[in-house]
Amino acid sequence: MNTHVFFCPPPRTLMGRGCRHELPALIAHLGWRRGLVITDRFFTTQTRWVEDHINACKKQGIEIVVFDGGQPDPSTTLCDQATQHVRAHLAEQPIDYVLAMGGGSNIDLAKALCLTVPTGQTIRAYSGTWPAHTRPLPLIALPTTSGTGSEATPGAILVDPDNATKIAVMGNALRPAIAVIDPELSDSCPPRVTADAGIDALTHAIESFVTQDASLFDRGGSPDPGYSGRSGLTMMFAREAIRLCGHYMLRAYRDGTDTEARDGMASASYYAALSYGTAGLNAVHGIAYALAGLTHQSHGTTNAVLLPYVLDELRETRAPELREVAQLLGMPTDQTEDAVLALPAYVRSLIEQLGIPTDLRQCGVQEHQLEGLLHDALQVTRLAKAFPVADRTSAYQRIIRHAFEGSLATHFILN
């Protein structure tokens, strides 16, 4: 498992409550003098965070340009429109870096703009293999939710409105140059956003913990792979992320003023990203992408509704890992109940406590749509190939059927 490790975290990380205030001095130290902030109207009109950053940068001699047209689940169309808008505003004056403030959607849009703003090309030009000379603008990521982990990953996910699916723009050059993990930015998240983000972080941690080993992972012959399978290094981060989620996820959801829980989930999200940002993901996200295209449910919800049923499918091939996950989550068990058997139902109970749907019917899926969902999920071959089972098509089929019926091998009630 520990052979062929390829690990590519952000070069710099600032972490801690209020640490964003250290950022302008670091930007000046790096010699950057003109930046582009990508965010949305909430942060420019309902908070002082963008204004405070602009003023602090001005004191360091740094000029800031702001684009606040970010939207949930950004599309290729939005990216192309933003590219032209920003380029027109810049009037050919170069910028040194891009700063993303917001959730995963704003960070994904910013990653895409790091590619398109310098060249003016459409984002579709960067879907797949990039030209060898491609040099995106450096990115600073300030996540305001504790879940997506985009501040440590090599890809941006955009909706393609032509076919209602998502496309991935991938490359290690898109990993943020600076990740700023400031839990204060998540304090204002409402319960629904907190729940979606928290279960996303837990999914990232668990999924990367049980994914294909680095020694068996298909890197496609790349000397610089975005994802390269799990190793002892990635699993170390995943373990801590799972433990923190087990301790703080429900607390942060139930009481948004619990700063200890907010801090814990901010760390959990980042550690999960350091794990899955190298190890990669598999069936949960693979099917969730197809489910999102079908139902337009949030990313956290589509992950959550599938996670228990994927764990149920892995009881034979990943039993030791599932037993460890149960322990890390603090799952109570008695002497007669096998933790591997009980874990999927326990995770489903956690999801139910977060007020998130626990089967596909609750997401609006109808039985006649299951075959199409299976077909679309299997098209995400990068994730399907990483699922550690012998027959992936049959496994996906069982997961989708069980997720529709809400059937698991056992039941567990979380008090």
Side-chain angles (χ1 to χ4, degrees), residues 52-235:
D52 288 347
H53 179 74
I54 292 172
N55 292 335
C57 282
K58 187 180 297 184
K59 293 178 181 178
Q60 297 283 347
I62 302 165
E63 180 186 352
I64 300 295
V65 175
V66 177
F67 176 81
D68 63 355
Q71 299 174 7
D73 294 320
S75 67
T76 55
T77 302
L78 173 63
C79 179
D80 294 341
Q81 291 172 344
T83 299
Q84 298 309 312
H85 176 85
V86 169
R87 284 174 61 85
H89 183 84
L90 293 174
E92 298 187 359
Q93 297 182 46
I95 54 175
D96 298 315
Y97 68 94
V98 176
L99 184 149
M101 178 181 289
S105 292
N106 286 350
I107 299 175
D108 278 0
L109 176 61
K111 286 180 179 178
L113 292 172
C114 286
L115 288 164
T116 60
V117 166
T119 65
Q121 288 187 285
T122 67
I123 191 58
R124 284 186 176 88
Y126 298 97
S127 180
T129 303
W130 305 349
H133 62 275
T134 304
R135 295 293 182 270
L137 289 165
L139 176 66
I140 302 172
L142 281 78
T144 59
T145 62
S146 298
T148 71
S150 300
E151 68 277 6
T153 61
I157 305 297
L158 302 172
V159 175
D160 185 347
D162 291 344
N163 53 24
T165 60
K166 295 185 176 183
I167 67 167
V169 180
M170 306 289 297
N172 283 324
L174 285 185
R175 294 182 191 266
I178 305 174
V180 183
I181 316 302
D182 186 341
E184 283 185 4
L185 298 179
S186 70
D187 284 350
S188 62
C189 282
R192 174 78 277 127
V193 175
T194 300
D196 264 22
I199 202 65
D200 199 20
L202 180 60
T203 302
H204 291 152
I206 294 177
E207 205 171 1
S208 62
F209 192 66
V210 300
T211 200
Q212 188 65 270
D213 293 343
S215 58
L216 301 174
F217 194 90
D218 181 4
R219 301 185 185 184
S222 173
D224 188 25
Y227 298 105
S228 53
R230 70 173 187 171
S231 67
L233 182 57
T234 66
M235 293 176 78

Side-chain angles (χ1 to χ4, degrees), residues 96-403:
D96 298 315
Y97 68 94
V98 176
L99 184 149
M101 178 181 289
S105 292
N106 286 350
I107 299 175
D108 278 0
L109 176 61
K111 286 180 179 178
L113 292 172
C114 286
L115 288 164
T116 60
V117 166
T119 65
Q121 288 187 285
T122 67
I123 191 58
R124 284 186 176 88
Y126 298 97
S127 180
T129 303
W130 305 349
H133 62 275
T134 304
R135 295 293 182 270
L137 289 165
L139 176 66
I140 302 172
L142 281 78
T144 59
T145 62
S146 298
T148 71
S150 300
E151 68 277 6
T153 61
I157 305 297
L158 302 172
V159 175
D160 185 347
D162 291 344
N163 53 24
T165 60
K166 295 185 176 183
I167 67 167
V169 180
M170 306 289 297
N172 283 324
L174 285 185
R175 294 182 191 266
I178 305 174
V180 183
I181 316 302
D182 186 341
E184 283 185 4
L185 298 179
S186 70
D187 284 350
S188 62
C189 282
R192 174 78 277 127
V193 175
T194 300
D196 264 22
I199 202 65
D200 199 20
L202 180 60
T203 302
H204 291 152
I206 294 177
E207 205 171 1
S208 62
F209 192 66
V210 300
T211 200
Q212 188 65 270
D213 293 343
S215 58
L216 301 174
F217 194 90
D218 181 4
R219 301 185 185 184
S222 173
D224 188 25
Y227 298 105
S228 53
R230 70 173 187 171
S231 67
L233 182 57
T234 66
M235 293 176 78
M236 176 183 69
F237 287 110
R239 286 186 181 95
E240 182 63 1
I242 295 167
R243 186 189 69 81
L244 289 169
C245 285
H247 198 66
Y248 292 118
M249 186 171 63
L250 286 176
R251 277 178 54 179
Y253 169 67
R254 289 168 175 165
D255 180 6
T257 66
D258 185 340
T259 56
E260 181 183 326
R262 291 290 195 187
D263 292 359
M265 286 306 299
S267 295
S269 175
Y270 189 55
Y271 296 153
L274 290 175
S275 178
Y276 94 87
T278 288
L281 303 167
N282 47 74
V284 178
H285 275 71
I287 304 173
Y289 287 153
L291 180 61
L294 179 64
T295 66
H296 305 291
Q297 295 272 358
S298 69
H299 181 63
T301 294
T302 54
N303 278 336
V305 74
L306 292 161
L307 177 59
Y309 307 98
V310 171
L311 294 177
D312 219 26
E313 186 66 30
L314 290 174
R315 285 184 291 113
E316 291 187 9
T317 59
R318 287 291 188 263
E321 290 88 345
L322 297 187
R323 192 169 287 110
E324 188 172 358
V325 169
Q327 182 180 13
L328 290 166
L329 284 176
M331 187 182 85
T333 57
D334 57 35
Q335 297 298 318
T336 62
E337 190 170 35
D338 184 357
V340 175
L341 189 65
L343 176 64
Y346 177 75
V347 170
R348 187 169 66 179
S349 291
L350 288 175
I351 293 165
E352 191 171 19
Q353 292 285 308
L354 293 169
I356 298 175
T358 56
D359 64 57
L360 295 181
R361 286 174 296 187
Q362 295 175 29
C363 292
V365 177
Q366 300 180 30
E367 188 166 12
H368 70 84
Q369 296 174 308
L370 299 185
E371 185 175 347
L373 181 60
L374 172 63
H375 174 270
D376 291 346
L378 288 169
Q379 299 311 301
V380 191
T381 55
R382 172 179 63 88
L383 299 180
K385 288 192 298 184
F387 195 43
V389 298
D391 185 345
R392 296 179 179 94
T393 299
S394 296
Y396 269 40
Q397 191 171 34
R398 285 190 295 270
I399 290 165
I400 291 171
R401 169 56 62 177
H402 292 161

